[in-house]
Amino acid sequence: MALDVYLNFNGNCRQAVEFYAEVFEAEKLKIMTFGEAPPNPEFNLPEEAKDLVMHTHMNIMGSTVMFSDVFPGMPFTAGNNISLTIVSKNIDEIKSLYGKLKEGGTVSMELQETFWSKCYGMVTDKFGIHWQLSLDNGETAM
């Protein structure tokens, strides 16, 4: 298990990632846009979201750094656009850490299955630190 960093941007993620890739001489990145995500019949994807970056990541000096744009209409505050991300192959570990981190905190997304993880959730702990927890079943894009 590793602790990763997740950076959010307000519509300029692609430019930021291209800049960081050049600075840190990263390999060619796979960038997934919101428009490339599997369609959800219960949600109509706004046109302005389709080309925004949903997820990409790179290795920067031995650390995994992940990136995305915030979804249109979601709050964005420069300086608060970072979260710590735990990716583990152990579902019990994910559940335990999530349970502990949410005590006195605020749940953004309950642990649930997503198209990229069998167990994923987001929480802000009681100190205001944003966390993402994701089960790595060997198929995850994270």
Side-chain angles (χ1 to χ4, degrees):
M1 177 176 62
L3 181 65
D4 299 327
V5 177
Y6 209 114
L7 302 174
N8 296 112
F9 295 85
N10 198 21
N12 61 346
C13 182
R14 186 177 300 273
Q15 295 90 339
V17 166
E18 289 170 355
F19 171 74
Y20 296 134
E22 186 176 315
V23 168
F24 295 105
E25 300 176 358
E27 295 181 23
K28 182 167 172 54
L29 303 173
K30 295 176 187 170
I31 295 177
M32 180 182 202
T33 65
F34 285 104
E36 294 170 323
N40 180 344
E42 298 175 17
F43 178 75
N44 189 15
L45 186 67
E47 194 63 38
E48 66 269 20
K50 290 183 179 176
D51 291 329
L52 293 177
V53 175
M54 181 177 176
H55 179 77
T56 189
H57 67 278
M58 75 175 74
N59 185 297
I60 298 178
M61 302 175 74
S63 295
T64 299
V65 181
M66 296 176 278
F67 306 83
S68 74
D69 281 308
V70 294
F71 197 79
M74 297 298 290
F76 175 86
T77 304
N80 290 342
N81 53 325
I82 185 170
S83 60
L84 300 178
T85 305
I86 296 173
V87 180
S88 173
K89 294 182 184 297
N90 183 328
I91 193 166
D92 293 328
E93 184 173 54
I94 292 291
K95 289 178 178 180
S96 174
L97 292 170
Y98 181 85
K100 292 174 185 176
L101 287 167
K102 77 177 191 177
E103 288 180 21
T106 304
V107 171
S108 303
M109 183 176 180
E110 289 288 350
L111 284 177
Q112 60 190 270
E113 184 172 341
T114 64
F115 71 88
W116 67 86
S117 175
K118 296 286 184 195
C119 185
Y120 174 85
M122 296 188 300
V123 63
T124 301
D125 70 22
K126 62 185 173 184
F127 300 104
I129 303 300
H130 306 282
W131 294 88
Q132 297 182 60
L133 297 99
S134 184
L135 178 67
D136 177 5
N137 61 0
E139 301 171 12
T140 180
M142 290 192 73

